[in-house]
């Protein structure tokens, strides 16, 4: 089944990450090649694409807005700087909590996951 779908570039990754802006270089390379030279208001030629789910469709991408690369500053990037600071604080809190809890928390790891590696040291040798 083929269908036509308009993808609006400034909303494409917003849905996935909850952001209103994104770095074009973080896009799928095939999409990046299509939009890297677009200016505001321009659109790509229609192209055929297949989703992971197997849906086949024709798409075109409309560039609704574009912010050129710049050095971050508090005026233009306050929300992004605030989000990054909050994310760092969350990661530090989780790391601190896990270091405190790991030593006296028992976790049973079944044989199917025993060879997995973990970000934190939850897998401890059992003294028999």
């Amino acid at each position: 089944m083929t269908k036509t779908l308009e993808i609006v570039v400034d909303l494409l990754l917003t849905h996935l990450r909850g952001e209103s802006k994104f770095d074009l270089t973080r896009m799928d390379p095939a999409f990046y090649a299509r939009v890297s030279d677009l200016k505001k208001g321009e659109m790509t030629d229609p192209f055929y694409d297949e989703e992971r789910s197997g849906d086949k469709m024709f798409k075109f991408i409309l560039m609704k807005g574009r912010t050129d690369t710049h050095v971050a500053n508090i005026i233009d990037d306050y929300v992004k700087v605030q989000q990054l600071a909050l994310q760092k604080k969350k990661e530090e809190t989780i790391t601190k909590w896990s270091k405190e809890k790991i030593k006296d928390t028992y976790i049973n790891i079944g044989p199917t996951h025993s060879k997995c590696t973990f970000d934190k040291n939850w897998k401890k040798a059992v003294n028999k």
Side-chain angles (χ1 to χ4, degrees):
M1 181 175 159
T2 304
K3 55 187 172 181
T4 303
L5 176 69
E6 174 184 354
I7 297 177
V8 181
V9 173
D10 66 345
L11 299 177
L12 184 64
L13 295 179
T14 301
H15 174 72
L16 299 174
R17 287 197 203 102
E19 297 176 359
S20 61
K21 296 181 181 181
F22 62 93
D23 183 355
L24 284 177
T25 59
R26 293 185 345 201
M27 292 182 82
D28 176 84
F31 279 123
Y32 177 77
R34 295 182 188 281
V35 301
S36 62
D37 294 328
L38 287 180
K39 294 177 179 50
K40 183 177 179 178
E42 294 181 339
M43 75 174 96
T44 64
D45 292 327
F47 59 94
Y48 179 81
D49 194 25
E50 186 171 334
E51 299 291 317
R52 291 183 199 181
S53 63
D55 291 341
K56 299 172 184 174
M57 64 193 75
F58 286 93
K59 298 178 178 181
F60 65 91
I61 302 170
L62 170 66
M63 180 66 77
K64 289 188 72 177
R66 185 178 191 127
T67 303
D68 291 327
T69 304
H70 65 281
V71 175
N73 65 64
I74 199 71
I75 295 168
D76 297 330
D77 304 300
Y78 178 80
V79 173
K80 185 65 176 175
V81 171
Q82 183 182 36
Q83 289 172 342
L84 290 171
L86 180 59
Q87 182 63 33
K88 183 177 181 195
K89 185 68 175 170
K90 286 178 181 179
E91 290 170 6
E92 289 170 350
T93 302
I94 289 170
T95 299
K96 180 182 175 196
W97 178 87
S98 62
K99 281 182 181 178
E100 291 172 359
K101 299 297 179 187
I102 256 176
K103 59 187 169 212
D104 56 0
T105 303
Y106 173 78
I107 295 182
N108 182 20
I109 300 172
T112 56
H113 297 96
S114 64
K115 293 184 174 145
C116 294
T117 56
F118 297 91
D119 290 337
K120 310 285 187 248
N121 187 26
W122 290 103
K123 188 174 160 181
K124 300 178 286 274
V126 177
N127 296 331
K128 291 185 179 182

